[in-house]
Amino acid sequence: MTEPESQDKRDQRILILAPTGRDAALTARFLDESGLPWEIFEHIEELCQKMLDGAGLVFLTGEALTPEAMVCLGEALAAQPTWSDIPVVVLTSGGGGEPLNAEAIAALSEAGNVTLIERPVRVATLLSAFKSALHARRRQYEVRDYLVKEEVSKEALKRGEERLRVALDAARLGAWQLDLATGQMNCTALCKEHFGLPADAEFSYDVLVSTIHPEDRASMRAAVERALRERDTYRAEYRVVRPDGSLYWVLMSGRGDYGANGEPHSMAGVTLNITNRKLAEQEREQLLLRERAARAEAEESSRLKDEFLATVSHELRTPLTAVLGWTHLLRDGRLDETATTRALETVERNARAQQQLIEDLLDVSRIITGKLRLDVRQVAPASFIEAAIEAVLPAAEAKGIVLEKSLQPDAPALSGDPARLQQVVWNLISNAIKFTPPGGHVRVRLESVKSHVEISVTDTGDGIRREFLPYVFDRFRQADGTTARRYGGLGLGLAIVRHLVELHGGTVRAESAGEGQGATFTVSLPLVAAQRSEDGDGGGDAASVHTLAVDARRTVECPDKLDGLRVLVVDDEADTLDLIKVLLGQCGAEVATAKSSAEALALFEESTPDVLISDIGMPGEDGYELIRRVRELPPERGGRTPAVALTAYARAADRLRVLRSGYQMHVAKPVELAELVAVVANVVRRV
C-alpha cells in the first residue's frame, strides 16, 4: 500500500491567471508579504496542467474566462481525483451589476468549487478568501491521506470505482458509507450479504442495528459514538443474526468525515465476514481448555499415585510392626500367660488385616488387567447378605453399633457369583461400620423392584462431602489422604464394589446429605445372567500372603541405661502402644502412652518425659503438628525433649520431612525391637 503523502507534498500554491492590468503582480506581492506560495501563468493551458499536477487554489480575473479558457478549465475540473475539489477564486468586474461574462462564471460555478469576489476589493478581504479556500483544500488533502491509508479505498483514489470494487471483492470486503444526518447507508452488495440482506435491500443505520445480536447492540452504538467523538478509527466485531436465525461474526472498520465546523457528517469503511476466524479461535480456546484439563488430570493422577503409594506403605508397615514386635517378645519367653494370649491375638488380627489389604490389591490388579472372572450360578440374595452380616457382626458389636436388617423373604434368585456378591455386601457394611461412631446404627435392606433386586446399606456415620460424592467409587481416591486422616485403608473397597456390581450387570450409587449426616449405598442387580470375563485366572483364588522371615536367634537387648528412663509413646494404634510399652518396660523404662496429640500434650503438662516416640499418621493432629507444638514449649516444660518418629511413612521424602520438622530420628515401621531400644538409648545419649 502506498504511504500517505507527507505534509510538505500537500501543494498550497496559488495559481494566478490575470491577463490584464497589474492584477497578477499586485496579487503576487501581497501573497509574498503573507508568506503564501504563488505562481503566475500567461496561458490557460499551462495553468490547467499545473492544476492537475497539484495546487492549493486557482485565482482568476474575469478577463481570463474566455471560451477557450472555459473549455480547458471544465476539462481540468472534471479530471480531478474523486477526493479533490480545488477551490477557484474569480475576481469579477461587474461594478455592482451583472458581470460582463456572467454566463461563463455561472457555467464555471456549476463545474467546480467557485468563489466570486467583486471589484473593488480590499487586500485583507481577498487574503481572507484565499486562506479560507486553502484551509478547505487542506481538509481535502486530509481526506485523501485517510483514503490512502485504507487499503480498500486506495484503488478508489487512484484508479476509480471499478478498481475499488475489484479490490474489495478480492479481499471479500464490503464497503459502506453512512450519512450521519439521514442515517442512510450506501453499501456494496457484499456488505449487505455480510448482514444477511439481499443486494437490492434498502439499508440504513437502523436496519444495520436490527441485524446485530441484541447483546452486542449497545457496545456497537457506544463504539461508533466514541470513534466520532475522539476522531478515531472505528473498529469492532459483532455477531449478526441472519433471517434464518444463523449467527455470523462481522468485523466493521471505518472512520468519520468532518466538516469545516469540526462536526462529523459521515462515516465510511469496510466490513469483513470473520466467522471462520472466530470458530477457529473458539476451537483453539477449547483445545487449550482441554489441554489444561488433561494436564490437571495428569497432575491429580500423579498426586493420587504418590498418596496411594504412601498409604500402601503405611497400611502394610503398621500391622507388620505389631506382628514382628510381638513375635520377638514371644520368642524372648518373658511374657506371662495373659500377655502371651494378647500377643497371639494381636499377631492374628494384624496378619488378617494385612491379608485383606493384599487381597484388595490383587483384586484391583485383576480388575485393571481384565482377569477378574465370576463363578456364576443361581443364588438367593438373602443367603450372601446373611453371610456378610455374620462376618461383620463381631466388629459392629465391638464398636457398639446396632446392625439392623430388613430382608424381603421372597426376593427372587439371581444369577451371580455368591462369593463376589458377599464381598460386595461385606465391603459396604464394613465401610459403614468403619465410618459410624460408637452407638450408631447401620441398616441393611433387601427388596425386589420390578426386574431388579436392590440392596442398600444405610449408616448414621460421618457422611460424605458433596464435592467428594462423584469420586467416592474411584480407585485410590480417599476423602482424606493426609497424614492426619482418621481412618486407615487403601481406598480400594468401594472401587472393587463398583466393578463387581458392574460385572453382574448392575449399578451402585452413593447418597449423602453431607458431612455428619450419614450415607446410603444402593446396589441394583438385574435378574439376568451375569457376564464372565473372557480371560481369567480364577478370581476366587485366595490371595497369597508372603511370610516375613524372622531370625529366631535374635533377642531384644535391654541396656541398663534405659532403667528409669521416662518414655512417652504416641500412636493411634492400640496394638503398637501395647507392644512398645511392654518392650521398653522390660528394658527398665517407665512408659506412658497417648493415642493422640492432645493426650500427649496433656501428659507433657503433668510430667516432662525424657524421650518422645510418636507416630506420624494420626487422626486430628498428626505427628508433624505434635512435634511443632512440643518445640514451642519452653525448655523447662519439655520443649527440647529428644523425639523419635516411628512411622509407616518410609519414603526418603518422608524421612527428610520428619527430620526437618523437629524429630532427632526417623524409624520406619516395621521396626526391629532391638533397633528401637538402641535408638531410644542413643537419642538420650545413654548408650
Side-chain angles (χ1 to χ4, degrees), residues 451-466:
S451 60
H452 289 73
V453 169
E454 281 195 355
I455 305 166
S456 65
V457 177
T458 303
D459 63 63
T460 58
D462 292 348
I464 305 170
R465 299 196 312 272
R466 184 179 302 275

Side-chain angles (χ1 to χ4, degrees), residues 42 57 63 71 84 139 219 236 302 346 358 363 369 418 444 489 510 559 642 652 677:
E42 295 182 359
L57 66 86
E63 295 80 3
V71 172
S84 178
R139 300 299 298 160
S219 63
S302 178
T346 301
I358 294 172
D363 277 346
T369 58
V444 183
V677 173

Side-chain angles (χ1 to χ4, degrees), residues 169-180:
D169 288 346
R172 299 298 296 166
L173 293 170
W176 57 271
Q177 186 172 25
L178 168 64
D179 187 321
L180 295 174

Side-chain angles (χ1 to χ4, degrees), residues 56 77 80-88 111-114 133 136-137 140:
L77 292 173
Q80 293 182 95
T82 55
W83 59 268
S84 178
D85 190 14
I86 188 169
V88 179
N113 179 12
V114 178
R137 186 59 169 169
Q140 293 177 27

Side-chain angles (χ1 to χ4, degrees), residues 382-635:
S383 63
F384 61 76
I385 295 175
E386 290 280 11
I389 292 175
E390 183 178 350
V392 301
L393 190 57
E397 291 176 346
K399 201 173 179 181
I401 292 174
V402 178
L403 189 58
E404 303 172 353
K405 61 181 179 180
S406 174
L407 309 181
Q408 180 178 325
D410 58 346
L414 51 83
S415 294
D417 185 329
R420 290 301 185 181
L421 291 174
Q422 179 180 335
Q423 182 181 359
V424 167
V425 179
W426 180 88
N427 266 335
L428 293 178
I429 300 176
S430 297
N431 207 58
I433 293 172
K434 176 180 178 180
F435 290 99
T436 299
H441 288 71
V442 174
R443 185 169 185 267
V444 183
R445 180 181 58 82
L446 165 67
E447 63 178 347
S448 59
V449 181
K450 297 182 180 180
S451 60
H452 289 73
V453 169
E454 281 195 355
I455 305 166
S456 65
V457 177
T458 303
D459 63 63
T460 58
D462 292 348
I464 305 170
R465 299 196 312 272
R466 184 179 302 275
E467 61 270 20
F468 185 72
L469 205 54
Y471 309 104
V472 72
F473 293 105
D474 287 0
R475 288 195 300 266
F476 312 137
R477 190 185 288 266
Q478 293 179 307
D480 183 4
T482 67
T483 57
R485 61 193 185 127
R486 295 169 55 192
Y487 304 102
L490 300 179
L492 298 178
L494 292 179
I496 295 173
V497 165
R498 181 182 67 175
H499 190 78
L500 290 176
V501 170
E502 289 175 351
L503 276 181
H504 284 82
T507 60
V508 59
R509 66 181 185 274
E511 300 169 282
S512 177
E515 290 186 279
Q517 302 187 59
T520 297
F521 290 83
T522 303
V523 174
S524 179
L525 296 170
L527 299 175
V528 295
Q531 300 295 318
R532 298 173 182 262
S533 62
E534 295 182 0
D535 301 310
D537 62 350
D541 296 343
S544 59
V545 181
H546 296 285
T547 302
L548 298 175
V550 178
D551 187 352
R553 295 170 297 176
R554 299 187 62 181
T555 59
V556 178
E557 298 178 1
C558 295
D560 294 337
K561 298 179 180 62
L562 291 187
D563 291 343
L565 189 69
R566 293 172 299 172
V567 181
L568 173 58
V569 183
V570 188
D571 200 305
D572 61 311
E573 292 288 340
D575 291 339
T576 303
L577 287 179
D578 287 345
L579 172 65
I580 298 176
K581 184 173 183 179
V582 171
L583 166 66
L584 299 183
Q586 289 182 351
C587 293
E590 299 176 7
V591 183
T593 61
K595 292 184 178 180
S596 67
S597 173
E599 288 185 21
L601 291 170
L603 291 175
F604 262 85
E605 293 292 334
E606 297 176 6
S607 175
T608 301
D610 297 315
V611 63
L612 169 67
I613 301 175
S614 176
D615 189 18
I616 292 298
M618 297 185 294
E621 293 183 349
D622 60 16
Y624 297 120
E625 180 63 17
L626 171 60
I627 195 63
R628 185 190 67 79
R629 296 182 64 179
V630 167
R631 294 296 179 238
E632 289 178 350
L633 296 173

Side-chain angles (χ1 to χ4, degrees), residues 81-153:
T82 55
W83 59 268
S84 178
D85 190 14
I86 188 169
V88 179
V89 178
V90 179
L91 185 62
T92 65
S93 56
E98 183 176 347
L100 297 177
N101 49 359
E103 293 182 1
I105 293 175
L108 185 62
S109 297
E110 293 178 2
N113 179 12
V114 178
T115 301
L116 301 178
I117 300 177
E118 292 186 0
R119 299 177 190 267
V121 62
R122 296 173 58 193
V123 171
T125 301
L126 188 58
L127 184 60
S128 176
F130 285 170
K131 289 183 178 181
S132 177
L134 290 174
H135 177 74
R137 186 59 169 169
R138 284 194 295 272
R139 300 299 298 160
Q140 293 177 27
Y141 286 138
E142 290 175 4
V143 171
R144 178 199 64 185
D145 292 346
Y146 167 71
L147 294 176
V148 169
K149 290 180 182 178
E150 296 293 328
E151 183 177 1
V152 296
S153 300

Side-chain angles (χ1 to χ4, degrees), residues 104-432:
I105 293 175
L108 185 62
S109 297
E110 293 178 2
N113 179 12
V114 178
T115 301
L116 301 178
I117 300 177
E118 292 186 0
R119 299 177 190 267
V121 62
R122 296 173 58 193
V123 171
T125 301
L126 188 58
L127 184 60
S128 176
F130 285 170
K131 289 183 178 181
S132 177
L134 290 174
H135 177 74
R137 186 59 169 169
R138 284 194 295 272
R139 300 299 298 160
Q140 293 177 27
Y141 286 138
E142 290 175 4
V143 171
R144 178 199 64 185
D145 292 346
Y146 167 71
L147 294 176
V148 169
K149 290 180 182 178
E150 296 293 328
E151 183 177 1
V152 296
S153 300
K154 170 185 173 183
E155 296 300 327
L157 292 173
K158 292 188 175 180
R159 297 180 179 88
E161 294 181 356
E162 182 59 23
R163 291 289 183 88
L164 174 61
R165 184 189 65 79
V166 172
L168 292 175
D169 288 346
R172 299 298 296 166
L173 293 170
W176 57 271
Q177 186 172 25
L178 168 64
D179 187 321
L180 295 174
T182 65
Q184 292 302 304
M185 296 186 70
N186 292 322
C187 299
T188 62
L190 184 57
C191 175
K192 293 180 181 179
E193 179 186 321
H194 288 162
F195 293 97
L197 299 174
D200 59 351
E202 292 292 329
F203 204 51
S204 65
Y205 185 67
D206 291 337
V207 172
L208 168 66
V209 172
S210 70
T211 66
I212 301 298
H213 192 285
E215 294 178 1
D216 296 346
R217 290 174 186 172
S219 63
M220 176 206 175
R221 293 181 184 275
V224 171
E225 293 172 0
R226 183 198 60 78
L228 291 174
R229 181 177 62 254
E230 299 179 5
R231 292 177 174 248
D232 196 4
T233 299
Y234 163 66
R235 181 183 177 89
E237 300 172 354
Y238 305 114
R239 290 171 291 175
V240 172
V241 184
R242 296 201 171 188
D244 62 0
S246 59
L247 281 179
Y248 285 80
W249 280 91
V250 173
L251 167 66
M252 290 191 70
S253 178
R255 195 175 183 88
D257 191 13
Y258 299 81
N261 59 359
E263 292 297 321
H265 56 75
S266 65
M267 289 189 77
V270 295
T271 60
L272 177 65
N273 185 339
I274 58 171
T275 304
N276 290 336
R277 192 194 81 193
K278 280 293 184 179
L279 292 176
E281 289 176 355
Q282 292 172 4
E283 184 176 356
R284 285 196 298 271
E285 183 66 23
Q286 291 299 318
L287 287 173
L288 179 60
L289 291 176
R290 287 196 291 269
E291 186 274 334
R292 289 175 179 170
R295 184 168 63 249
E297 184 178 352
E299 291 172 352
E300 176 69 2
S301 176
S302 178
R303 184 187 65 80
L304 290 176
K305 180 197 70 175
D306 290 343
E307 284 185 2
F308 175 70
L309 291 176
T311 301
V312 168
S313 173
H314 182 275
E315 293 299 315
L316 290 176
R317 289 172 181 272
T318 295
L320 275 178
T321 298
V323 170
L324 294 179
W326 284 109
T327 301
H328 278 298
L329 292 177
L330 286 169
R331 285 205 174 96
D332 197 38
R334 289 189 283 175
L335 298 179
D336 57 24
E337 184 177 351
T338 301
T340 299
T341 301
R342 188 175 71 209
L344 292 173
E345 291 175 349
T346 301
V347 168
E348 180 181 8
R349 181 168 59 252
N350 284 277
R352 292 188 183 279
Q354 272 208 323
Q355 179 185 18
Q356 184 59 52
L357 290 173
I358 294 172
E359 287 178 351
D360 284 349
L361 287 171
L362 291 175
D363 277 346
V364 169
S365 175
R366 295 185 185 105
I367 289 170
I368 293 174
T369 58
K371 293 182 178 181
L372 183 68
R373 61 182 302 171
L374 304 178
D375 183 11
V376 179
R377 65 188 72 171
Q378 291 291 315
V379 58
S383 63
F384 61 76
I385 295 175
E386 290 280 11
I389 292 175
E390 183 178 350
V392 301
L393 190 57
E397 291 176 346
K399 201 173 179 181
I401 292 174
V402 178
L403 189 58
E404 303 172 353
K405 61 181 179 180
S406 174
L407 309 181
Q408 180 178 325
D410 58 346
L414 51 83
S415 294
D417 185 329
R420 290 301 185 181
L421 291 174
Q422 179 180 335
Q423 182 181 359
V424 167
V425 179
W426 180 88
N427 266 335
L428 293 178
I429 300 176
S430 297
N431 207 58

